Amino acid sequence: RMKRGLAAAEVLLVFAISLAGLVLRFRQAVTTYLNPDEVWHYMLSLGSWRDVLRQSLTVTHPPLLILITHIVSIFSSSELALRLVPVLAGSLFPVLMFAWLRRIAGKRAAFTGLLLLTMAPHLVSLSAQVRGYTLALLFLAASLVVLEKALDTGRWPLMAAYGALLCLC
């Protein structure tokens, strides 16, 4: 069995890589304009909760991002505020994949996965858009971490949490 904890230097390396990815995503989010699809998602999030829920169920996209965008738009309608949730989800996804990969494949594979997923240009670009892909990836990675823990411990609440995270994905 692998050693559970990370050394201080490894934690620092994970933090540095994640911070670099967050900076790349924020830079991308600040320097681009909303495209028509992102504006459409934003327009669907306007109105009362009942209107937003009804409108989010009429599109083929998952409704979670539209509901989250509705909450964000209550506080601010700036482009950066609307992109904040996907940016944060896109930054946390590689960290969760790191945790899962470290558990099943070891440190070397986990650090490689973290570096690739954090710096991949297409993932950086997707993270800076008002789209549900990074939320789906985040919930998928979280479900993998919880599933691995549930299979190791045999606890049914963790399996229930896995199912909930998979549904959110």
Side-chain angles (χ1 to χ4, degrees):
R1 204 70 197 152
M2 286 188 305
K3 189 172 92 170
R4 291 251 181 232
L6 287 173
E10 294 168 337
V11 171
L12 189 60
L13 183 59
V14 169
F15 179 75
I17 292 171
S18 300
L19 185 62
L22 183 64
V23 167
L24 285 174
R25 284 162 173 78
F26 265 115
R27 182 181 170 277
Q28 181 83 19
V30 169
T31 59
T32 57
Y33 294 103
L34 291 176
N35 65 41
D37 196 41
E38 292 175 292
V39 172
W40 181 50
H41 278 92
Y42 172 65
M43 298 301 286
L44 289 173
S45 73
L46 298 177
S48 68
W49 274 102
R50 175 184 229 141
D51 295 336
V52 171
L53 186 58
R54 188 172 11 90
Q55 290 173 355
S56 69
L57 296 175
T58 63
V59 296
T60 57
H61 298 282
L64 183 60
L65 181 65
I66 296 170
L67 297 174
I68 291 173
T69 305
H70 175 72
I71 294 169
V72 170
S73 67
I74 291 171
F75 299 103
S76 175
S77 61
S78 74
E79 291 182 21
L80 183 59
L82 296 175
R83 291 177 173 177
L84 187 61
V85 171
V87 164
L88 293 176
S91 296
L92 289 176
F93 157 66
V95 175
L96 288 177
M97 286 301 293
F98 169 82
W100 179 68
L101 281 170
R102 185 178 177 278
R103 191 172 177 93
I104 65 163
K107 285 184 202 176
R108 204 172 278 170
F111 276 108
T112 303
L114 176 67
L115 192 60
L116 287 173
L117 293 172
T118 302
M119 302 300 174
H122 293 300
L123 286 176
V124 170
S125 177
L126 264 182
S127 297
Q129 297 177 15
V130 183
R131 297 181 187 268
Y133 301 121
T134 54
L135 273 177
L137 290 171
L138 177 68
F139 288 125
L140 178 66
S143 70
L144 288 172
V145 170
V146 171
L147 175 65
E148 190 67 30
K149 183 78 169 169
L151 293 175
D152 278 353
T153 62
R155 297 182 58 218
W156 71 265
L158 289 173
M159 285 303 286
Y162 162 71
L165 287 167
L166 209 52
C167 286
L168 286 171
C169 175

